[in-house]
Amino acid sequence: MMGLGLVLVISFSCQSADESVPELELRMAELVNVEREARRLSPLAFSPALADVGREYSTKMADARRVHHDLDHSIEERIVAALPDICTFGENLSKHTTIDYSLGDLMVSTGHRANILSERFTLIGIGIARGADGFLYITQEFARPCDLPPTGSKRRKDLPE
């Protein structure tokens, strides 16, 4: 006698296939803040200017089908061009099928996790591009404005190794 089997499919992603890129970007920023708040850290304010920087860079990565911090200009050049009064900045990059899986991988990586949970940052911008290969190319930009005028400040770059 042949028995019937029950197949149960569980999806861990709260991401809908219908979500637009701007919705995914805002949702990922929310998820980062959930991680921070779970550790009693202040939430990061969403910066549309940083999101634009990240989105442009994610598009370059998607076009190149490559995830790398220096495909064209350095992170400092990209961020300071958009927000000249930034003294501390960092960047996380990811290529994944969902933002949930991306954030999960970033949280288990020491350097990426350090950026997400850093108390040095006050701003976040998320930029996402859908690649022709079906992946999401994700750039998380982190920053803190200078307390001093930009001309008298020293900038600090934080990139995971």
Side-chain angles (χ1 to χ4, degrees), residues 76-135:
E76 181 174 6
E77 291 173 306
R78 289 185 271 122
I79 289 179
V80 172
L83 295 168
D85 69 335
I86 295 299
C87 281
T88 303
F89 53 89
E91 178 175 81
N92 288 344
L93 304 176
S94 176
K95 173 184 169 185
H96 236 297
T97 55
T98 71
I99 60 172
D100 301 289
Y101 292 144
S102 171
L103 186 59
D105 280 353
L106 292 170
M107 287 299 292
V108 297
S109 164
T110 305
H112 295 104
R113 179 185 177 94
N115 277 345
I116 290 168
L117 301 179
S118 176
E119 294 187 80
R120 293 184 308 255
F121 303 129
T122 58
L123 301 173
I124 189 170
I126 307 291
I128 298 175
R130 292 184 195 273
D133 56 5
F135 286 95

Side-chain angles (χ1 to χ4, degrees), residues 11-111:
S11 174
F12 294 102
S13 175
C14 60
Q15 178 178 325
S16 162
D18 296 334
E19 282 184 287
S20 69
V21 166
E23 290 172 326
L24 292 174
E25 292 169 346
L26 288 173
R27 179 69 183 134
M28 181 168 245
E30 290 171 3
L31 293 172
V32 165
N33 279 331
V34 166
E35 292 290 344
R36 292 176 62 84
E37 290 169 1
R39 291 155 182 87
R40 296 195 168 113
L41 298 170
S42 297
L44 300 172
F46 187 81
S47 167
L50 285 177
D52 289 345
V53 171
R55 193 175 307 112
E56 183 177 323
Y57 198 70
S58 289
T59 300
K60 288 180 184 189
M61 291 191 304
D63 290 346
R65 291 188 181 191
R66 185 170 173 231
V67 177
H68 194 275
H69 288 286
D70 294 313
L71 286 178
D72 60 1
H73 303 289
S74 72
I75 177 179
E76 181 174 6
E77 291 173 306
R78 289 185 271 122
I79 289 179
V80 172
L83 295 168
D85 69 335
I86 295 299
C87 281
T88 303
F89 53 89
E91 178 175 81
N92 288 344
L93 304 176
S94 176
K95 173 184 169 185
H96 236 297
T97 55
T98 71
I99 60 172
D100 301 289
Y101 292 144
S102 171
L103 186 59
D105 280 353
L106 292 170
M107 287 299 292
V108 297
S109 164
T110 305

